[in-house]
Amino acid sequence: MPKLAVLTEFNTSVELQEFPMPEVEPGGALVDVALGGICGTDVHLRTGHLSVPLPIAMGHEGVGRIRALGKGLDTDVEGEPLAVGDRVVWANNIPCGTCYECLVLREPTLCQNRKIYGINRTATNEPHLQGGWAETISLEAGTTIIKLPDTVSFEEAITLGCAGPTAIHGVVENLSIEPGSVVAVQGAGPVGLASAMYAKAMGAAQVILLGGPSSRIEVALKIGAADVAIDMDTYPSAEERLAAFQEIAPRGADIVIECAGVPSAVAEAIDLARPNAQVLVLGQYTDHGPTAINPHKITKKQLKMFGSWGFSPAHYVKYIKSLPHLVKNHDLASILSTYDLENVNDALNDVASGRVTKAALRPQTSTD
Ligand SMILES: [Zn+2]
Ligand SMILES: [Zn+2]
């Protein structure tokens, strides 16, 4: 009987529940989960900040090995043959493909009918095992499954979790970063680190990270995600940070990527930007309310401002394809802290407090 982490009520602990091993459905797969990533969204799920049905089958990030393949599922999304025992990752969401957002806007990230493992799947409905914080997850037909490249470990693939595809969508697809660009990244969480790494991969000459706490800044510099950092513990006010930034980049940033998730960071982004710069607001995934900005600066500086929401299965595929390159340049696994599935609440608390940069649960110890 595989165990699954379930959130039965908001603002309570996550509990482990056992469910019978489901039959693999045609076109679907059963996957033994090697690592189930924990992301900031999970903290918000627990506090009830997002409107989702209870009890939640938790875990929207995962990697593992194929346990069983359903009839008709022979290859991954790229046509690579799939077999029992293969190391795979799966896109956590399945857009409907038929709504206005999917069909007309061609923006599956905005699909209102998306099924999302670990977020809007309940543990009460069969096949129950609908999240990645489980010994086994049941993936339904239509799930985008990607074989993990041989040069990438489970740890490396889960470290950027959904931050990786979020940055592919926001940074790689929306921004024009050129060799020589000066890029400011606000926020030293996984989305900030992923954005910084992709900015470098796109040719940025200098990536300047503004964030905290100091432990996360140290990690970012150690793995080469950023060239320079402005630590919020040393420069606690926006004025101090701007002055420190202008010492490094007197003209301002060619591109500013907000990954802080704090509304006031957007006003700060406008100040960090040089005239004609691009500003991406990527970190405001949770609604923390309005903030004061001076719109005159947007006009006068001719800023190009963008927003970007989540990611689609296509972004997930691009993320996995980029991993062999990323892991050559950055020691991703060194960011990761792993916990046994039984210690899921400790892990969630450590993510909530910022004590760890990235955490993942290890439901199956035998799949390495
Ligand atoms: Zn997430
Ligand atoms: Zn749709």
Side-chain angles (χ1 to χ4, degrees):
M1 296 260 281
K3 292 192 188 92
L4 163 73
V6 180
L7 182 70
T8 54
E9 268 181 77
F10 297 121
N11 295 308
T12 59
S13 295
V14 171
E15 56 185 66
L16 296 185
Q17 296 181 2
E18 289 189 342
F19 294 98
M21 184 66 75
E23 291 283 310
V24 61
E25 64 172 87
L30 297 179
V31 177
D32 288 335
V33 181
L35 290 167
I38 300 179
C39 125
T41 302
D42 294 311
V43 176
H44 296 304
L45 278 179
R46 189 174 59 166
T47 51
H49 282 159
L50 299 165
S51 78
V52 284
L54 289 168
I56 307 170
M58 293 291 288
H60 62 277
E61 298 177 354
V63 291
R65 284 189 191 274
I66 298 279
R67 179 189 184 90
L69 287 168
K71 200 170 182 302
L73 183 63
D74 307 314
T75 63
D76 78 352
V77 66
E78 293 200 299
E80 290 287 319
L82 276 180
V84 169
D86 280 350
R87 301 184 316 140
V88 293
V89 295
W90 55 95
N92 64 19
N93 64 86
I94 309 174
C96 77
T98 57
C99 71
Y100 178 80
E101 285 79 5
C102 284
L103 270 182
V104 181
L105 299 183
R106 295 185 196 169
E107 285 288 352
T109 55
L110 302 178
C111 173
Q112 301 295 316
N113 312 317
R114 288 199 304 173
K115 297 174 182 171
I116 313 177
Y117 295 110
I119 292 187
N120 64 11
R121 317 263 75 197
T122 68
T124 33
N125 292 350
E126 286 187 7
H128 311 295
L129 302 170
Q130 295 281 280
W133 298 358
E135 288 171 309
T136 302
I137 184 169
S138 175
L139 301 176
E140 66 179 72
T143 305
T144 301
I145 297 174
I146 314 138
K147 256 174 132 164
L148 203 54
D150 291 339
T151 54
V152 177
S153 69
F154 282 137
E155 286 78 7
E156 288 164 337
I158 206 69
T159 294
L160 295 182
C162 45
T166 296
I168 291 278
H169 181 204
V171 176
V172 178
E173 291 196 349
N174 274 319
L175 299 176
S176 308
I177 298 178
E178 298 170 357
S181 294
V182 173
V183 178
V185 176
Q186 301 169 286
V191 177
L193 296 188
S195 296
M197 285 184 254
Y198 282 114
K200 298 208 84 168
M202 292 166 79
Q206 193 175 35
V207 174
I208 305 163
L209 181 69
L210 301 96
S214 303
S215 54
R216 287 190 172 186
I217 293 292
E218 277 166 31
V219 165
L221 292 174
K222 196 184 78 183
I223 65 163
D227 300 293
V228 200
I230 296 173
D231 188 336
M232 292 184 69
D233 292 341
T234 314
Y235 304 97
S237 74
E239 292 73 24
E240 289 168 284
R241 286 191 291 276
L242 181 60
F245 186 81
Q246 286 170 338
E247 290 273 311
I248 303 165
R251 282 188 184 279
D254 299 320
I255 293 113
V256 184
I257 308 172
E258 181 280 316
C259 310
V262 180
S264 60
V266 178
E268 205 172 326
I270 291 169
D271 286 333
L272 296 171
R274 68 150 162 78
N276 234 14
Q278 304 160 65
V279 177
L280 171 66
V281 179
L282 188 59
Q284 309 288 326
Y285 200 77
T286 309
D287 187 347
H288 288 296
T291 190
I293 59 166
N294 184 347
H296 168 68
K297 293 180 186 175
I298 302 173
T299 304
K300 188 163 184 225
K301 285 188 173 183
Q302 296 196 156
L303 298 183
K304 299 169 188 76
M305 294 193 69
F306 306 86
S308 178
W309 173 257
F311 55 89
S312 71
H315 300 124
Y316 211 90
V317 177
K318 279 194 187 180
Y319 160 62
I320 297 300
K321 299 280 285 179
S322 76
L323 275 174
H325 175 82
L326 280 196
V327 301
K328 250 188 246 166
N329 295 316
H330 310 286
D331 182 2
L332 292 183
S334 69
I335 304 175
L336 187 69
S337 306
T338 60
Y339 300 73
D340 289 340
L341 185 59
E342 283 67 27
N343 299 328
V344 52
N345 289 296
D346 295 339
L348 256 176
N349 291 337
D350 286 350
V351 171
S353 69
R355 208 178 73 75
V356 294
T357 304
K358 179 67 186 183
L361 301 165
R362 205 180 268 289
Q364 295 264 0
T365 46
S366 58
T367 53
D368 287 353

